[in-house]
């Protein structure tokens, strides 16, 4: 089992940071799909997962601004 405190204190490589950003994009995309489908509980859970990923990225020194209030502006948009 992976220790959460170890993950928070271990510096991440560029590849690991890219993977976290990719995962955040995936979760943001899935969350928007869940919202579009009115799958409220799924959207809520994905929102929690997205928030956790943003915290992990912040702890790793990757700063993502939410100026527009839309996650799609940061991670691409669905078409």
């Amino acid at each position: 089992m992976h220790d959460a405190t170890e993950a928070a204190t271990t510096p991440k490589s560029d590849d690991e940071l890219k993977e976290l950003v990719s995962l955040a994009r995936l979760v943001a995309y899935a969350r928007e799909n869940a919202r579009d489908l009115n799958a409220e509980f799924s959207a809520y859970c994905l929102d929690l997962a997205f928030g956790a990923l943003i915290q992990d990225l912040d702890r790793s020194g990757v700063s993502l601004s939410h100026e527009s209030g839309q996650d799609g502006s940061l991670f691409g948009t669905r078409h």
Side-chain angles (χ1 to χ4, degrees):
M1 189 84 186
H2 190 62
D3 188 347
T5 57
E6 178 184 325
T9 58
T10 304
K12 302 210 181 311
S13 70
D14 285 344
D15 286 338
E16 289 173 321
L17 291 175
K18 287 178 186 177
E19 289 293 325
L20 275 177
V21 169
S22 294
L23 187 56
R25 286 181 178 151
L26 176 67
V27 171
Y29 178 83
R31 180 184 64 177
E32 291 306 311
N33 276 337
R35 286 179 180 165
D36 289 347
L37 296 169
N38 293 320
E40 294 177 21
F41 185 68
S42 296
Y44 171 75
C45 291
L46 289 163
D47 195 43
L48 293 175
F50 183 74
L53 286 163
I54 294 300
Q55 285 182 350
D56 287 342
L57 288 166
D58 284 343
R59 285 188 202 120
S60 297
V62 176
S63 177
L64 302 174
S65 69
H66 292 280
E67 294 171 1
S68 68
Q70 296 178 356
D71 301 323
S73 64
L74 299 172
F75 298 110
T77 56
R78 291 185 306 138
H79 296 283

